[in-house]
Amino acid sequence: MTKDCCSCSSAADELKASLAARLASNRSWSESKVKQNAEYFKGLVGISDIEVLWIGCSDARVPANELIGLAPGEVFVQRNVGNLATHKDMNAMSCIEYAVNVLKVKHIIVCGHYGCPAVRAALTLPRKSDGLFSLWIQDIRDTRDRNVEALRKVTGTAQEDRLVELNVLRQVFNVCTSPVVQQAWDSGRALAVHGLVYSLDDGLLKTLYTTDSAPHQPGAFTRSISSNSLVSGCSWNSSGRSPGSEEDEEAAAIVAEVEAQRMSIEQLAIK
């Protein structure tokens, strides 16, 4: 047997062993859940009342249901690189359609996170780079280009963090202007859309933007900077910030920048 064949065989064995370890962990997890609650899995099968659609990044460090204090089966999740929700993405749009029209969710959360590699790449990766990843993050580059002046006011990590927030707001705009959401609002559905950012440093969510149920006018946002207005008394409101804080003022400035360029009531009213 040649050296190359031996290497391939060794690599294949390692992959098999790794999968076997994961399956063993799954069995241990299943047994522990049943030990804690004999009806645990039967309960998951019976879950039909899902109130939250989460549109987030594929990053493994951002576990959707855990961040907002909900159990498996209580959050409908759409994840992709950079938490995008463009109108041309049939995956994201069909997920929104199913969540709104079939599951009848009451909340759509678009959540980004600081330290996002996709956003960092949109600032640093040349536009002519090969590969689907470079093509995928073009929407984030577009957001960068639309907000050049705002981004030039900061540098380094602060610039990256600002683009993370601007990207979330852009995706909120996309969700709110999607036909499914517009139709839900026209029909009088109580459906709120929220833009959040997750901090890997402390595990807290920051509210950038939220609609209070359906807008009062077609396409109009009701700005709510304080996280306390996300949903009063809801268990997944985890930022714990008080109105009027420095974070609120910064978030207000971010929202003003985006509204001035891309989120006017006239634009949002177009159907």
Side-chain angles (χ1 to χ4, degrees):
M1 183 179 291
T2 66
K3 184 177 180 180
D4 289 341
C5 288
C6 289
S7 297
C8 291
S9 177
S10 176
D13 290 342
E14 289 180 6
L15 290 174
K16 291 179 181 178
S18 177
L19 175 59
R22 300 287 73 76
L23 293 176
S25 296
N26 169 254
R27 287 191 293 272
S28 297
W29 170 80
S30 175
E31 291 169 0
S32 67
K33 287 297 183 182
V34 173
K35 187 175 181 180
Q36 294 171 13
N37 178 5
E39 302 298 317
Y40 177 78
F41 291 106
K42 291 182 180 179
L44 286 181
V45 173
I47 291 178
S48 59
D49 186 16
I50 300 175
E51 294 191 354
V52 179
L53 166 61
W54 176 282
I55 301 174
C57 185
S58 299
D59 197 301
R61 300 169 294 177
V62 190
N65 58 290
E66 291 184 29
L67 293 186
I68 52 179
L70 296 178
E74 295 181 334
V75 183
F76 197 57
V77 179
Q78 159 69 25
R79 300 178 72 161
N80 59 62
V81 176
N83 45 271
L84 302 183
T86 67
H87 292 172
K88 295 180 180 179
D89 181 357
M90 294 299 99
N91 191 327
M93 290 298 109
S94 61
C95 181
I96 292 173
E97 181 181 88
Y98 184 82
V100 173
N101 291 344
V102 179
L103 297 178
K104 308 295 184 183
V105 298
K106 297 178 181 178
H107 304 275
I108 299 177
I109 296 175
V110 178
C111 184
H113 67 96
Y114 296 121
C116 179
V119 171
R120 186 179 304 120
L123 287 169
T124 60
L125 188 68
R127 197 181 293 261
K128 59 183 178 182
S129 299
D130 292 333
L132 291 177
F133 173 72
S134 180
L135 180 63
W136 178 259
I137 64 171
Q138 185 56 46
D139 190 73
I140 307 178
R141 288 196 186 102
D142 291 343
T143 299
R144 175 201 65 188
D145 295 344
R146 293 186 186 108
N147 295 277
V148 169
E149 293 305 317
L151 291 169
R152 282 177 176 168
K153 296 177 183 178
V154 288
T155 59
T157 301
Q159 187 179 73
E160 183 182 310
D161 289 349
R162 179 60 59 88
L163 184 54
V164 165
E165 295 169 337
L166 292 169
N167 178 48
V168 168
L169 291 170
R170 176 60 189 172
Q171 306 317 314
V172 168
F173 174 90
N174 289 341
V175 170
C176 289
T177 55
S178 66
V180 173
V181 172
Q182 288 284 307
Q183 290 165 11
W185 282 341
D186 284 347
S187 69
R189 281 274 304 281
L191 176 64
V193 182
H194 317 286
L196 310 181
V197 178
Y198 176 63
S199 172
L200 297 172
D201 292 333
D202 56 21
L204 296 179
L205 292 167
K206 175 181 178 180
T207 306
L208 296 179
Y209 210 92
T210 185
T211 64
D212 294 333
S213 188
H216 301 296
Q217 297 178 358
F221 281 104
T222 301
R223 183 162 62 251
S224 183
I225 299 301
S226 169
S227 62
N228 292 329
S229 66
L230 187 58
V231 173
S232 178
C234 192
S235 62
W236 42 267
N237 176 13
S238 59
S239 75
R241 294 190 292 106
S242 59
S245 66
E246 291 183 3
E247 291 94 336
D248 283 346
E249 293 177 0
E250 180 183 359
I254 294 169
V255 171
E257 290 168 0
V258 176
E259 285 183 331
Q261 299 176 60
R262 299 297 300 166
M263 303 180 78
S264 68
I265 290 177
E266 289 77 14
Q267 286 175 308
L268 290 171
I270 297 175
K271 301 177 183 178

